[in-house]
Amino acid sequence: MLHTERLLLRPFGSADIPDTQASCSDSLIQQWLPLPRPYTMKDATSWCTNVASALRESGDGIHFAVTDSPTGRLVGTVGLKKTDWRARTSEVGYWVSPWGRGKGIAAEATRAVARWLLTDQQFQRLELRAATGNTASQNVAIRTGFHREGILRNAGFVHTGRVDLVLFSLLPEDSAVTVMHSGG
């Protein structure tokens, strides 16, 4: 579990199924993530009770349910994938529930995971990839302190087809990580 000023990042559980289903059915999340369409209760149940924990156990990554600390309600997810333990690199991804948008949740949760990975776990590189048209996700990367490296042509896919991705990175020596580590 990870804590921020407003959020608790914890493992997914069965209580998260309804909010996961509602969030992953949202048109904006569906626009940028190649999730099942329609996203059913069965899909949400599988993610919350099996898939998320299996990814952690396999070593591929870790996916946190991002919850509002006072209420405990799911407001999004942030997770690591494509984790290379030998090279000490990983990629971060996230989505925010419709009822959590516009509050800085994605940046706050991503900052917490980045701090944990690059400082506590001593990883050497964290990547973030966002479709060139997904300006909201790119803004999260910038607000979190990631550096824009360039465009990966035809590297992603969404329901409408292939997309170019903007590649961002964060390294342990980057000033954003130093600020995060000192409590900023």
Side-chain angles (χ1 to χ4, degrees):
M1 284 196 240
L2 301 174
H3 298 269
T4 72
E5 188 175 312
R6 303 177 298 159
L7 305 172
L8 171 64
L9 284 63
R10 58 161 175 75
F12 276 90
S14 58
D16 301 314
I17 294 169
D19 282 342
T20 297
Q21 192 275 328
S23 298
C24 291
S25 295
D26 175 68
S27 61
L28 190 57
I29 290 173
Q30 284 279 326
Q31 179 180 356
W32 297 117
L33 297 176
L35 298 169
R37 184 187 278 176
Y39 196 89
T40 65
M41 288 299 274
K42 183 178 178 182
D43 295 320
T45 300
S46 177
W47 174 259
C48 292
T49 61
N50 295 323
V51 176
S53 61
L55 289 169
R56 178 183 180 156
E57 290 168 14
S58 75
D60 178 62
I62 184 169
H63 297 269
F64 295 95
V66 177
T67 61
D68 177 67
S69 285
T71 66
R73 185 173 189 193
L74 181 77
V75 292
T77 185
V78 63
L80 300 171
K81 62 183 181 177
K82 300 177 185 170
T83 301
D84 183 332
W85 288 89
R86 186 167 181 226
R88 314 254 344 135
T89 63
S90 193
E91 180 183 337
V92 67
Y94 43 78
W95 53 252
V96 176
S97 304
W99 51 89
R101 290 189 191 132
K103 301 174 184 171
I105 288 170
E108 187 174 331
T110 300
R111 205 173 290 117
V113 169
R115 177 186 318 115
W116 174 77
L117 187 76
L118 296 172
T119 303
D120 299 349
Q121 302 303 311
Q122 300 180 335
F123 267 58
Q124 297 303 303
R125 179 178 172 88
L126 180 59
E127 293 184 354
L128 189 156
R129 298 168 187 219
T132 53
N134 190 345
T135 55
S137 190
Q138 292 176 54
N139 288 336
V140 167
I142 292 164
R143 282 194 312 271
T144 306
F146 280 77
H147 295 265
R148 186 181 192 273
E149 291 188 347
I151 303 292
L152 301 170
R153 297 181 314 139
N154 204 33
F157 63 96
V158 295
H159 289 292
T160 57
R162 303 294 306 185
V163 294
D164 294 345
L165 299 176
V166 182
L167 175 64
F168 295 89
S169 69
L170 194 60
L171 306 178
E173 62 269 17
D174 289 338
S175 61
V177 177
T178 306
V179 170
M180 286 183 233
H181 186 64
S182 65

